[in-house]
Amino acid sequence: MEFFITLIQVLDSTVRLATPLLLACLAGLYSERAGIFDIGLEGKMLMAAFFSAAVAAVTGSVWLGLLAGIASSLVLSGLHGLASITFRGNQLISGVAINFLASGLTVLIAQSWFKQGGRTPSLFGGGRFEPITFPFANSLSNVPIIGPIYAELLSGHSILVYVAFLMVPLTWWVLYRTRFGLRLRAVGENPAAVDTAGVSVVGLRFAAVAICGVLCGIAGAYLATALQAGFVKEMTAGRGFIALAALIFAKWRPWHAMGACLLFGLLQAVALRFQNIDLGGVVIPVQVMDALPYILTVVILAGFVGKAIPPRAGGEPYVKER
């Protein structure tokens, strides 16, 4: 029974840790399906994390913080769209620039605003997303097997966790069952054909980049106002890049993306829970466990993905034929 409780706790941590990865992964999915590669997921999450925590700390309202996080992420998305769609710049360089910009600006503004060494004040009360308890969760918690699964694994998460997992079937439906999704996928494969049909390639790509900005904004806000209680320097800790790895691992498909993000979340949960493991007198240092999710990300991508073929027009600026 003790093993089962430990397993539930690890899976609970997995869901919490996979949530920002899943939101960022779906953000990249929309953008890259439309032919715009986005390495700037990390930067957008970081900027959103700072502004959501800062506004929530100042106003005491987590919802205003969430809106501020989404708005800041959308600004960076607009910059990326302007550089790579309007001015036909290199999409990878634009994404890297956004990461550097966010990394520097967040610490600079935080220090200027709060004077706490590049962090925001700790959030409490209405400045944080509170966990949602399902009906009868407390009374069912003592029921064997079903109780802990319902009360601890399914119940007790913040609203953004449920939003993230609901976005998976919604994304699948939008991409594969709507006219907008069909056009979006077509723009990533053959923009000239979409243009010939009288549909705006630029408009669709900006729409995809905007959706990407909104989802990155929610991911960043979740990090600072739900998973943790405030912003600290570089708190995204490479999650944007793990989300990109998960996207490639999932071969740009929503349900597979969820599976990949849960796998990486599980690796992080295991690393956090089992530290300084003693293997017959040899103690594995905590630093090795912390690095494990990143090492296994590389191993999985290198050895288990096979050939992942991105959208054919990905990374290529579209020049309208005269």
Side-chain angles (χ1 to χ4, degrees), residues 7 19 30 32 37 42 77 139 142 157 172-173 204 217 219 223 237 254 260 264:
L7 179 64
T19 296
Y30 278 102
E32 297 199 4
F37 287 162
E42 177 89 359
S77 276
S139 55
N142 294 323
H157 299 289
W172 176 85
W173 181 77
L204 274 169
L223 278 175
F264 295 140

Side-chain angles (χ1 to χ4, degrees), residues 206-272:
F206 265 111
V209 167
I211 294 169
C212 174
V214 170
L215 291 174
C216 280
I218 298 171
Y222 172 80
L223 278 175
T225 59
L227 194 63
Q228 297 182 34
F231 174 84
V232 293
K233 180 183 177 184
E234 303 291 354
M235 74 181 302
T236 45
R239 282 182 174 89
F241 298 111
I242 289 187
L244 274 176
L247 185 59
I248 297 166
F249 184 40
K251 299 184 179 177
W252 295 270
R253 291 172 294 185
W255 289 104
H256 296 73
M258 184 178 79
C261 290
L262 283 170
L263 173 62
F264 295 140
L266 176 65
L267 297 176
Q268 286 185 311
V270 168
L272 284 172

Side-chain angles (χ1 to χ4, degrees), residues 24-238:
C25 188
L26 293 175
L29 179 68
Y30 278 102
S31 185
E32 297 199 4
R33 276 289 192 173
I36 303 295
F37 287 162
D38 197 349
I39 288 185
L41 297 175
E42 177 89 359
K44 282 185 274 217
M45 286 170 70
L46 191 62
M47 192 69 91
F50 167 69
F51 274 102
S52 61
V55 171
V58 170
T59 64
S61 169
V62 71
W63 293 103
L64 287 176
L66 175 63
L67 289 175
I70 291 171
S72 63
S73 178
L74 277 171
V75 168
L76 291 185
S77 276
L79 278 176
H80 184 55
L82 200 66
S84 57
I85 302 170
T86 306
F87 297 117
R88 305 189 190 113
N90 187 296
Q91 295 172 10
L92 300 183
I93 292 173
S94 171
V96 170
I98 282 171
N99 288 336
F100 282 127
L101 184 68
S103 180
L105 269 183
T106 48
V107 177
L108 184 70
I109 300 171
Q111 179 60 19
S112 171
W113 197 345
F114 300 106
K115 305 206 166 31
Q116 293 188 11
R119 64 171 62 219
T120 62
S122 293
L123 302 174
F124 53 88
R128 287 196 71 194
F129 280 106
E130 297 295 334
I132 296 171
T133 305
F134 284 3
F136 313 113
N138 294 328
S139 55
L140 287 172
S141 59
N142 294 323
V143 177
I145 310 295
I146 297 169
I149 291 173
Y150 181 73
E152 292 191 36
L153 185 57
L154 299 179
S155 174
H157 299 289
S158 73
I159 190 169
L160 296 185
V161 173
Y162 302 111
V163 167
F165 283 91
L166 284 172
M167 280 302 300
V168 177
L170 180 63
T171 298
W172 176 85
W173 181 77
V174 167
L175 285 178
Y176 296 103
R177 290 292 182 270
T178 66
R179 185 179 294 176
F180 171 76
L182 176 64
R183 289 172 172 175
L184 192 78
R185 287 182 291 127
V187 161
E189 296 291 339
N190 192 344
V194 175
D195 196 19
T196 306
V199 179
S200 170
V201 172
V202 170
L204 274 169
R205 285 189 165 178
F206 265 111
V209 167
I211 294 169
C212 174
V214 170
L215 291 174
C216 280
I218 298 171
Y222 172 80
L223 278 175
T225 59
L227 194 63
Q228 297 182 34
F231 174 84
V232 293
K233 180 183 177 184
E234 303 291 354
M235 74 181 302
T236 45

Side-chain angles (χ1 to χ4, degrees), residues 13-32:
S13 297
T14 298
V15 169
R16 294 174 199 274
L17 292 167
T19 296
L21 297 178
L22 180 57
L23 286 164
C25 188
L26 293 175
L29 179 68
Y30 278 102
S31 185
E32 297 199 4

